[in-house]
Amino acid sequence: MKALVLAEKPSVARDIARVLGCHTNISGAIEGERYVVTWGLGHLVTLADPEEYDPKYKEWKMEDLPMMPQPFKLDVIRQTGKQYQAVRAQLHRKDVGQVIIATDAGREGELVARLILEKAGNDKPVKRLWISSVTDKAIRQGFAALRDGREYENLYDAAMCRAEADWLVGINATRALTCKYNAQLSCGRVQTPTLAMIAEREERIRTFSPQTFYGIRASAQGLSLTWRDKAGNSRSFDRERIEKILRGLEGKEGLVISVKRSPKKEAPPLLYDLTQLQREANSRFGYSAKETLNIMQRLYENHKVLTYPRTDSRYLSSDIEPTLTERLKACAVGPYRVLAGRLSMQALPKKPAFVNDAKVSDHHAIIPTEQFVQLDHMTVDERRIYDLVIRRFLAVMYPASEYEETAITVSAGGESFFARGNVRTNPGWRKVYEQEGGDVSGGSAAGLSGPGGDGQDGDGLAWMDGESSAGEEGRIPKDISRLKEGDILKGLAFSLTQGKTAPPAHFNEASLLAAMEDPRAYMEVREGAKAKEMAKTLGETGGLGTVATRADIIEKLFSSFLVEKRGKDIFLTSKGKQLLGLVPADLKKPELTADWEMKLSRIARGELSRETFMREIRRYAGELTGQIKDGEGTFRHDNLTNTKCPVCGKRMLLVKGKNSQMLVCQDRACGHRETISRTTNARCPVCHKRMELRGKGDGQIFVCACGHKERLAAFEARRKKEGAGVSKRDVARYMEKQRKEAAEPVNNTFAQALAGIRLDGKE
């Protein structure tokens, strides 16, 4: 008898088939002597649309809500129906005796496979392949240690509860809002709290009132010191007080009270999980969370040089430790040859801090595989992400960075002044980030990927050649050996310093991902036992959404026109602001989704029954729908234009997408939209900024913010003459993508989120 191996995607299926010796291509599968390998295309089966339960649900009517299917039906996704039939045919072959689930090792991967098997009526025993990378070695080891599929029943229950709960809450609330206010409005347990966080940040910025603060700086012989009062404050909002102190310091000498030199060590930063990698890539290269995930997926599936990307751990499990030397040898190429080669030839730490079984759940941190690397086969984007991961992987195996911290205290006129500085004595892991060669998109690989980025990572320590960083602690020259306790500093120059308190920055994708990962600052209840319990829940569940879904949530906010980008910053649209005023308050709280995720984790561990959870969700969905029905708010389109919809004749709305401006029909039943301008990768010949492409057909024109304008035909001719840039093929591909996007329905947010459910009732 043969075993049917079910992979999640064709690329993974081909790799598994090759390792298992399957070489015969048949309809939707690859066959060998012992195995038949088939695949999904992501999800092939999903929860059925509302109209599958009753034809009346094709029309969105308030009186039909809430919809409470019991039991839920499964439906084959029409676009991938042919592959489903191929999988089903292989499953029911008489010579197939068992099924091996080889989808992604996680909750959603489990759901992909189980829905297919359930819809196809599988009654054969199930085994599970659980691997974190798709290299030949990992596949062979995984098949040598297959697990009983029954071990993952609880994980499947958790996945189904998530899908059914999102269906009940998302579809009922979305239909209720849309019917109540006759506008394309959607909400969800992760999407809406994320939107509420953006709104709260904007409100804090709007109401912020800057205050001027003052301080005193003393300087002499290259030494810069900062004043502090007895309470340790280096700034005051009382200018008169500071000026009085400053007058009393005129002509005063300084007495060195203490000079303390302390050796310090700085441990290397932790390995990357997906969220941290997305934040770093956004800060450094401007990649969206979705773009980073897509690049990572290619490096995992196609190049096979990095491990499974959808992980929330920054540690490795102990079973990975023996493979580290082989992984180092695999990535010892190009700019990493010396760094990785040196590590691979020496003994690794006996008890490395980055190995911790207790901090690894389903998947360990993102690291290189044992697959040999061919950097020239990667795109620039892939090289950049690969560079981030490899340098972080190398850094954790280098020793701590060492530096000497010097703290100086000076007394002058009865006032105290301080300076603190760091001088690096041994680079340690920071050597990985020094510019030692290699090239990524025209720049040093090392220069592109030092830790810390814009300070969001918190892993970096600022250094200056020859002296410490200048800040509130003052500045110390590198050569301070002459200073000692009891020295007199003559010729001190005292000056008043001032600055203004600054409001919090607007969210960008990097900082929004960080807030979603840890939304405790946005909890409504912040004191008492209840607040502690909620904070613990958020910590245990990883915040809003999961590492696998946060990128999609941000994309949905843009595609629903609830938020827009201005530069790199994210702002609420009028639609987003109005929606938050109409959504029930409970759905806007981070505590809600944290509670869900905690319960789903308990289901996966077998500590909570699926029935108990779903009973609570049905009750909650009914209450939520009732609150929306009874709402007294109003929704007003404030972006109507005089342009008539070519389909229904109604006035269209001007909306700003993530990288484009569109006209969208105000009638949700019509759904017509057209792109009027889109930010491209084409660079302006004057200022080199990215230009917008406006218009249609032969009349399309590139427009830059600096005022430069250029017709598409002229642009193509210029770039062809220069021998670089956008080719006709690139432009054709871009135009085809634009046409496809223009043909998509506007109200597709939940359709994407719930894998094909058609919320508008259309085929």
Side-chain angles (χ1 to χ4, degrees), residues 373-644:
V373 179
Q374 291 181 286
L375 296 176
D376 56 341
H377 288 187
M378 296 182 190
T379 65
V380 169
D381 295 336
E382 290 165 351
R383 282 284 306 275
R384 284 173 167 174
I385 298 302
Y386 182 75
D387 186 74
L388 288 176
V389 174
I390 295 304
R391 291 188 184 273
R392 184 62 62 94
F393 174 66
L394 298 176
V396 300
M397 283 183 276
Y398 271 77
S401 176
E402 299 177 6
Y403 61 97
E404 184 180 72
E405 180 183 85
T406 301
I408 298 175
T409 305
V410 173
S411 177
E415 300 292 334
S416 295
F417 292 83
F418 297 83
R420 190 186 307 272
N422 304 317
V423 176
R424 182 168 53 191
T425 56
N426 182 2
W429 62 267
R430 285 188 170 274
K431 191 174 184 64
V432 174
Y433 293 100
E434 292 176 355
Q435 297 186 7
E436 294 188 344
D439 187 78
V440 177
S441 68
S444 165
L448 287 170
S449 50
D454 59 359
Q456 295 175 34
D457 189 59
D459 294 331
L461 178 65
W463 293 94
M464 297 178 66
D465 292 332
E467 57 188 30
S468 75
S469 56
E472 289 192 1
E473 293 292 333
R475 187 182 342 178
I476 301 175
K478 185 176 182 180
D479 182 17
I480 55 173
S481 59
R482 67 183 186 280
L483 281 179
K484 60 183 182 299
E485 188 175 320
D487 282 354
I488 301 297
L489 295 178
K490 297 182 179 181
L492 277 176
F494 300 96
S495 60
L496 182 142
T497 61
Q498 70 178 58
K500 286 191 176 183
T501 56
H506 285 282
F507 277 123
N508 54 36
E509 286 205 39
S511 56
L512 183 57
L513 281 167
M516 292 174 74
E517 188 175 37
D518 185 9
R520 285 175 288 185
Y522 297 88
M523 291 196 320
E524 205 168 84
V525 180
R526 301 184 184 180
E527 296 181 0
K530 187 177 181 180
K532 290 182 180 179
E533 184 180 352
M534 289 179 178
K536 182 181 177 183
T537 299
L538 285 167
E540 290 175 348
T541 58
L544 294 175
T546 66
V547 290
T549 61
R550 289 185 191 120
D552 285 330
I553 292 299
I554 295 175
E555 291 298 316
K556 289 167 195 170
L557 293 176
F558 283 111
S559 65
S560 299
F561 312 121
L562 299 173
V563 299
E564 64 184 17
K565 261 192 178 180
R566 301 176 195 168
K568 290 186 177 181
D569 294 336
I570 298 173
F571 290 81
L572 283 182
T573 62
S574 172
K575 181 179 180 180
K577 293 175 184 176
Q578 292 186 77
L579 175 63
L580 287 174
L582 304 175
V583 170
D586 191 51
L587 199 56
K588 295 184 282 188
K589 300 176 183 177
E591 296 91 326
L592 173 66
T593 192
D595 183 57
W596 279 31
E597 285 295 336
M598 183 182 69
K599 290 175 179 176
L600 292 173
S601 296
R602 290 180 59 200
I603 293 171
R605 295 193 300 266
E607 299 171 1
L608 180 68
S609 72
R610 174 176 171 176
E611 292 74 19
T612 300
F613 177 79
M614 290 309 302
R615 191 161 49 245
E616 293 179 7
I617 293 299
R618 289 177 183 277
R619 176 186 54 79
Y620 177 71
E623 292 174 354
L624 199 65
T625 305
Q627 290 178 42
I628 295 172
K629 284 183 177 181
D630 297 335
E632 297 180 353
T634 58
F635 183 87
R636 179 177 61 86
H637 290 299
D638 59 359
N639 55 344
L640 279 171
T641 68
N642 291 322
T643 303
K644 298 292 182 69

Side-chain angles (χ1 to χ4, degrees), residues 98-101 110 114 117 122 124-130 146-157:
Q98 71 171 351
V99 178
I100 299 173
I101 296 176
E110 196 70 21
R114 297 291 186 135
L117 297 180
N122 176 60
K124 297 174 181 179
V126 175
K127 295 284 187 179
R128 187 54 159 106
L129 175 72
W130 195 269
L146 292 173
R147 303 179 186 180
D148 193 319
R150 289 172 293 187
E151 295 179 22
Y152 298 90
E153 290 292 338
N154 290 332
L155 184 64
Y156 171 48
D157 284 343

Side-chain angles (χ1 to χ4, degrees), residues 361-381:
S361 53
D362 290 342
H363 301 285
H364 56 70
I366 300 170
I367 59 173
T369 65
E370 304 95 326
Q371 181 83 15
F372 175 74
V373 179
Q374 291 181 286
L375 296 176
D376 56 341
H377 288 187
M378 296 182 190
T379 65
V380 169
D381 295 336

